[in-house]
């Protein structure tokens, strides 16, 4: 049986016209928002051959009707008058609002900016393309019903979400706001609307950072019918890193996003949360956006639309956008670099938001309550006044230097299959070689992956346990680490629990084998009857993924035992997220009798979006408790498993000191420790 090959195109929407407005008078708060931002992105995409690989979709002008989906008539009419103003009038007009400037041509650009966003939604929703990105100015997420704010005139993405609901009948829209500022305009637009889930992380510093709103804190969860559908992660320190962002995804956004099960995902894609940005002052490297993008690509059947917001360090901005577009096109993500433990402050915020949302999401039902020390002293905004006093002695991050992300080369072959001769191979795959499916074939396939000639592979083998043993043995001759993910009951092989750390085995099975836990052997519960979407969020997103990211293997072996109990969609989601590791080098082993899963597995290995998992049941208490015990045992070794801040004074090492000094200085000197 052959798999239906979906359209895999990526749309890119850009029009030079949007570079044709700028700040016309001295204003330090606004001088960072320049036309060059779009120009350098466009040049970088061309230079890296990315523009040519995308489908270029033309912009259009948004109509009054489009704007009125979110904005008031009075405000719209007021903005229209700016097209005929002189500089003095523009300056006066701008003064009504916070950190925004107007220009004779900005209304025209704002129409194109919103129109480009709607063109993108149309192309993705109708299946003309799989996903895409709109490169726009002015940005949108700060703009409100009747006010411009923070360089934003109209709220592009809020308009797009309303439009998707009304024009296309979208039932649930997820908005992921990874810009470093809080998109308060988006939050206000959907505060009582349960059909739009808004997620934002943002520099907050106990309300000392712009836009200084109380409702940007973790305890603002939405109102009325929309209660629980607004997720804020306030960053109370600068210098957040890749680990902090990945933790926020694994422990907050992704479980809730999967439970929400959107039919469209919109990203307010600002890149001021990346290193070098003068506004954000964060330390996440541009390659992290490859992973953030990858992790969103299997929601909503892959219907993912990114729309540019902020990003003010031109180098970091263009690198981050390129990383993002590579991933949209299906190129394997680079190995995640520099994963230090998440910092104390980030874990505090993650803990807080998980606890605030516990009543609304079954995937957080087991989340830890807040210790009173956090809720009353550490993380609330009463400290604002006090904090404001000691401003002004911050280190400058603008001169920071960081390694350029490595060039992303996709292997000539994406998916190679080793199947018995009588099994037809799925469309789009390459048959590895004819002849017996034996150990020799598996080893040769692994060698090709190691040499980056083949990205991933699928083998239908006589005996999965034996094949797994062979593969692990062969891998021990490689210089690098192998993550073995074994799904279903199997004998635990000695060779899997090597102490030297060259192999890490995560074994999902029905058996209680808690006594076997070691740093490199993780037995995780997969009880019959609990192998559904909620298992995926708890065991895969909350456990396998953080450990996998921290382990950073060069190869992932995914072995599926007969009768492992996973339905196709859950299996495909698992296969899909694992491709974020090891530059996509995944070798899947499936038992001969399980021919039916060859098609779905191959389609996922080829980079097609995994299907949604369907109904979400509350996880069974006993199993979740076992999982939590495992997390507690393991989180000393695998710090990305943490979703709460270690209590101070408990003998825990001061991670945070390490992070903000040693790591930071290493970064500047460009001498990062590599593992
Ligand atoms: N230090 C976007 O990123 N405050 N807007 C500037 C200057 C306003 C950011 C203060 C920042 C607005 C889309
Ligand atoms: Zn921003």
């Amino acid at each position: 049986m052959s798999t239906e090959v979906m359209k895999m195109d990526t749309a890119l929407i850009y029009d030079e016209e949007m570079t044709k407005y700028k700040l016309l008078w001295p204003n330090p708060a606004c001088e960072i928002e320049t036309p060059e931002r779009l120009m350098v992105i466009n040049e970088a995409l061309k230079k890296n051959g990315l523009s040519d690989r995308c489908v270029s979709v033309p912009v259009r002008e948004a109509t009054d009707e489009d704007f009125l989906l979110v904005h008031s008539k009075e405000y719209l009419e007021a903005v229209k008058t700016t097209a005929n103003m002189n500089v003095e009038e523009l300056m006066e007009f701008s003064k009504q609002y916070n950190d925004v400037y107007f220009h004779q041509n900005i209304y025209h650009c704002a129409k194109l900016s919103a129109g480009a966003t709607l063109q993108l939604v149309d192309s993705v929703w109708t299946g003309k393309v799989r996903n895409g990105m709109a490169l726009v100015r002015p940005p949108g997420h700060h703009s409100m019903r009747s006010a411009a704010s923070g360089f934003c005139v109209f709220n592009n993405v809020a308009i797009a979400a309303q439009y998707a609901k009304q024009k296309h009948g979208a039932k649930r829209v997820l908005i992921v706001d990874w810009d470093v500022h809080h998109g308060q305009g988006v939050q206000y637009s959907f505060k009582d609307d349960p059909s739009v889930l808004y997620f934002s992380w943002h520099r907050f510093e106990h309300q000392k950072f712009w836009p200084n709103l109380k409702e940007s804190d973790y305890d603002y969860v939405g109102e009325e019918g929309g209660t629980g559908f607004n997720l804020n992660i306030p960053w109370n320190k600068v210098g957040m890193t890749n680990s902090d962002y990945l933790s926020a995804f694994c422990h907050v956004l992704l479980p809730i996003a999967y439970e929400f099960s959107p039919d469209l995902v919109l990203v307010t894609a600002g890149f001021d949360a990346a290193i070098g940005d003068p506004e954000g002052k964060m330390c996440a490297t541009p390659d992290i956006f490859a992973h953030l993008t990858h992790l969103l690509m299997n929601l909503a059947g892959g219907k993912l639309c990114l729309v540019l917001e902020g990003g003010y360090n031109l180098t970091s901005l263009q690198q981050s956008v390129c990383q993002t577009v590579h991933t949209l096109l299906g190129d394997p993500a680079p190995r995640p670099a520099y994963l230090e433990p998440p910092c104390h402050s980030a874990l505090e915020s993650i803990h807080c938001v998980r606890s605030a949302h516990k009543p609304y999401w079954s995937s957080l039902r087991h989340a830890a309550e807040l210790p009173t020390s956090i809720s009353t002293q550490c993380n609330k905004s009463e400290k604002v006044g006090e904090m404001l006093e000691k401003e002004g002695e911050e280190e400058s991050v603008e001169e920071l230097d960081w390694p350029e992300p490595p060039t992303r080369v996709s292997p000539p072959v994406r998916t190679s299959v080793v199947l018995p001769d009588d099994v037809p191979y799925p469309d789009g795959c390459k048959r590895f070689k004819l002849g017996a499916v034996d150990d020799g074939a598996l080893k040769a396939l692994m060698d090709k992956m190691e040499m980056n000639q083949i990205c991933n592979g699928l083998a239908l083998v006589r005996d999965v346990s034996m094949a797994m043993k062979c593969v692990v043995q062969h891998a021990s001759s490689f210089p690098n680490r192998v993550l073995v993910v074994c799904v279903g009951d199997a004998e635990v092989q000695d060779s899997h629990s090597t102490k030297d750390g060259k192999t890490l085995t995560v074994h999902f099975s029905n058996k209680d084998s808690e006594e076997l836990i070691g740093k490199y052997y993780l037995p995780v519960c997969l009880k019959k009857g609990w192998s559904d979407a909620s298992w995926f969020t708890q065991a895969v997103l909350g456990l396998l993924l953080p450990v996998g990211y921290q382990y950073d293997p060069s190869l992932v072996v995914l072995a599926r035992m007969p009768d492992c109990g996973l339905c196709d969609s859950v299996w495909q989601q698992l296969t899909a997220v694992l491709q974020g590791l090891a530059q996509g080098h995944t070798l899947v082993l499936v038992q001969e009798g399980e021919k039916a899963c060859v098609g779905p597995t191959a389609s996922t290995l080829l980079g097609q979006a995994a299907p949604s998992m369907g109904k979400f049941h509350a996880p069974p208490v006993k199993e979740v408790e076992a999982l939590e015990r495992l997390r507690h045992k393991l989180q000393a070794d695998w710090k990305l498993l943490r979703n709460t801040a270690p209590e101070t004074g408990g003998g825990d090492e001061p991670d945070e000191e390490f992070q903000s000094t040693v790591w930071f200085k290493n970064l500047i000197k460009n001498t990062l420790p590599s593992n």
Side-chain angles (χ1 to χ4, degrees):
M1 217 183 54
S2 78
T3 316
E4 192 194 327
V5 178
M6 257 174 43
K7 252 261 158 80
M8 295 269 278
D9 290 338
T10 293
L12 190 64
I13 311 193
Y14 173 69
D15 194 302
E16 204 186 281
E17 179 65 15
M18 287 180 282
T19 64
K20 292 179 181 152
Y21 77 91
K22 61 177 188 192
L23 177 63
L24 296 174
W25 53 87
N27 178 352
C30 293
E31 68 196 6
I32 54 177
E33 205 294 292
T34 63
E36 286 73 30
R37 297 177 55 239
L38 277 193
M39 295 171 186
V40 298
I41 293 173
N42 190 238
E43 289 308 312
L45 289 172
K46 282 201 269 184
K47 202 187 97 198
N48 288 287
L50 291 166
S51 305
D52 285 342
R53 296 174 57 198
C54 294
V55 175
S56 162
V57 172
V59 299
R60 70 161 166 96
E61 289 190 359
T63 63
D64 282 10
E65 192 194 340
D66 297 328
F67 288 129
L68 294 174
L69 288 168
V70 165
H71 297 279
S72 68
K73 182 88 184 151
E74 302 72 58
Y75 175 63
L76 173 58
E77 294 307 321
V79 173
K80 284 183 187 173
T81 66
T82 62
N84 302 307
M85 287 180 180
N86 63 35
V87 176
E88 233 150 87
E89 291 166 329
L90 287 165
M91 215 162 107
E92 266 319 292
F93 187 85
S94 303
K95 275 187 193 151
Q96 306 172 75
Y97 309 111
N98 196 234
D99 289 354
V100 68
Y101 65 88
F102 281 80
H103 179 279
Q104 301 93 319
N105 198 36
I106 203 170
Y107 172 58
H108 182 223
C109 292
K111 282 190 282 187
L112 298 180
S113 185
T117 307
L118 299 179
Q119 289 284 80
L120 177 58
V121 167
D122 283 341
S123 311
V124 169
W125 187 273
T126 60
K128 232 187 93 195
V129 294
R130 161 160 76 156
N131 56 31
M133 180 159 196
L135 300 171
V136 302
R137 277 175 83 234
H141 72 153
H142 296 305
S143 131
M144 292 160 275
R145 182 172 158 76
S146 295
S149 170
F151 320 145
C152 303
V153 178
F154 298 116
N155 203 314
N156 306 318
V157 166
I159 294 168
Q162 286 293 12
Y163 176 90
K165 283 171 54 177
Q166 291 187 14
K167 164 128 194 248
H168 296 302
K171 292 277 172 295
R172 287 176 308 280
V173 180
L174 167 65
I175 299 178
V176 177
D177 192 337
W178 72 40
D179 186 281
V180 86
H181 299 94
H182 184 217
Q184 84 280 36
V186 184
Q187 172 168 303
Y188 297 152
S189 289
F190 303 107
K191 62 177 196 282
D192 55 5
D193 184 348
S195 67
V196 178
L197 172 60
Y198 177 62
F199 167 90
S200 174
W201 62 36
H202 36 268
R203 181 172 169 191
F204 185 61
E205 296 174 287
H206 304 281
Q207 213 180 315
K208 155 185 132 172
F209 190 69
W210 192 90
N212 313 88
L213 300 166
K214 191 170 179 300
E215 64 269 29
S216 305
D217 213 345
Y218 67 87
D219 55 358
Y220 184 81
V221 297
E223 295 167 26
E224 297 177 39
T227 308
F229 295 87
N230 193 95
L231 271 169
N232 285 332
I233 306 189
W235 297 133
N236 287 318
K237 292 237 156 98
V238 295
M240 293 301 165
T241 65
N242 293 354
S243 334
D244 301 312
Y245 289 0
L246 284 173
S247 295
F249 263 51
C250 290
H251 299 305
V252 180
L253 173 62
L254 294 176
I256 293 178
Y258 273 99
E259 186 169 351
F260 180 64
S261 188
D263 37 29
L264 178 67
V265 180
L266 306 176
V267 182
T268 38
F271 296 92
D272 40 17
I275 189 161
D277 191 277
E279 273 289 290
K281 295 189 160 52
M282 299 301 176
C283 290
T285 49
D287 54 300
I288 198 63
F289 292 100
H291 294 277
L292 304 184
T293 303
H294 175 81
L295 290 168
L296 297 177
M297 281 171 69
N298 293 288
L299 290 158
K303 290 202 282 301
L304 177 61
C305 302
L306 291 90
V307 184
L308 185 69
E309 296 281 350
Y312 308 99
N313 177 307
L314 298 183
T315 308
S316 169
L317 174 63
Q318 55 182 310
Q319 291 175 353
S320 300
V321 172
C322 288
Q323 290 294 314
T324 303
V325 174
H326 265 296
T327 306
L328 289 176
L329 285 162
D331 296 346
R335 298 264 290 266
Y338 321 137
L339 288 185
E340 298 301 333
C343 76
H344 190 274
S345 176
L347 288 172
E348 244 175 35
S349 300
I350 286 168
H351 185 178
C352 286
V353 66
R354 282 170 55 90
S355 132
H357 276 274
K358 203 176 143 106
Y360 314 111
W361 300 97
S362 76
S363 39
L364 297 183
R365 192 163 292 170
H366 61 284
E369 299 285 357
L370 289 188
T372 42
S373 64
I374 286 188
S375 52
T376 60
Q377 295 166 28
C378 307
N379 218 357
K380 283 309 291 177
S381 312
E382 287 128 45
K383 292 179 101 185
V384 176
E386 186 191 317
M387 306 272 306
L388 280 169
E389 283 165 27
K390 50 170 193 170
E391 234 182 328
E393 38 179 304
E394 280 168 60
E395 254 184 87
S396 165
V397 289
E398 275 133 278
E399 302 89 50
L400 256 185
D401 205 1
W402 62 93
E404 196 181 331
T407 343
R408 286 168 67 168
V409 274
S410 295
V413 175
R414 170 81 187 205
T415 302
S416 214
V417 288
V418 186
L419 301 172
D421 287 348
D422 58 323
V423 179
Y425 63 91
D427 284 352
C429 296
K430 268 241 159 91
R431 188 184 287 275
F432 184 62
K433 69 167 201 208
L434 293 169
V437 181
D438 55 11
D439 290 1
L442 292 180
K443 288 179 188 168
L445 177 52
M446 285 171 73
D447 293 343
K448 292 251 153 107
M449 282 200 228
E450 176 75 8
M451 293 184 287
N452 216 30
Q453 291 169 2
I454 292 175
C455 182
N456 56 39
L458 167 60
L460 201 58
V461 298
R462 183 87 62 71
D463 180 330
V464 178
S465 295
M466 297 285 286
M468 189 165 62
K469 195 174 175 184
C470 152
V471 161
V472 168
Q473 235 154 40
H474 187 60
S476 65
S477 65
F478 294 171
N480 286 315
R481 294 177 294 277
V482 180
L483 172 63
V484 180
V485 179
C486 178
V487 188
D489 297 345
E491 279 285 303
V492 176
Q493 309 283 348
D494 274 352
S495 52
H496 293 180
S497 41
T498 51
K499 300 254 154 36
D500 61 1
K502 281 190 84 173
T503 307
L504 166 64
T505 304
V506 179
H507 186 181
F508 296 105
S509 87
N510 205 10
K511 297 213 183 85
D512 287 312
S513 33
E514 283 187 41
E515 73 283 356
L516 293 172
I517 298 171
K519 180 169 182 187
Y520 297 106
Y521 180 76
L522 282 50
V524 186
C525 167
L526 176 64
K527 287 273 187 312
K528 296 268 144 65
W530 191 43
S531 54
D532 65 352
S534 81
W535 172 82
F536 176 80
T537 67
Q538 306 297 319
V540 176
L541 300 175
L543 208 134
L544 172 60
L545 212 53
V547 171
Y549 266 106
Q550 195 173 345
Y551 184 64
D552 183 27
S554 66
L555 174 68
V556 176
V557 175
L558 174 58
R560 178 185 167 109
M561 295 301 150
D563 306 313
C564 76
L566 292 190
C567 66
D568 280 353
S569 61
V570 176
W571 169 253
Q572 286 175 280
Q573 288 287 346
L574 168 64
T575 309
V577 295
L578 285 173
Q579 284 183 81
L581 303 171
Q583 289 179 285
H585 290 312
T586 309
L587 173 56
V588 182
L589 304 174
V590 175
Q591 187 106 353
E592 234 172 35
E594 310 241 310
K595 285 188 192 128
C597 82
V598 167
T601 307
S603 129
T604 306
L605 288 173
L606 285 164
Q608 319 250 8
S612 298
M613 292 181 292
K615 196 144 174 46
F616 206 96
H617 299 281
V621 175
K622 215 179 118 230
E623 275 69 33
V624 172
E625 279 171 359
L627 215 56
E628 284 311 286
R629 279 199 302 280
L630 181 63
R631 172 203 308 291
H632 275 100
K633 278 192 204 161
L634 294 171
Q635 67 184 10
D637 285 330
W638 303 102
K639 297 205 163 82
L640 237 52
L641 285 178
R642 291 184 173 170
N643 53 33
T644 59
E647 305 240 21
T648 42
D652 239 296
E653 73 275 49
D655 290 350
E656 198 178 336
E657 274 325 291
F658 174 76
Q659 188 146 350
S660 53
T661 56
V662 180
W663 184 80
F664 204 79
K665 280 175 190 149
N666 277 338
L667 188 68
I668 296 167
K669 284 188 293 184
N670 231 342
T671 56
L672 275 155
S674 59
N675 30 350

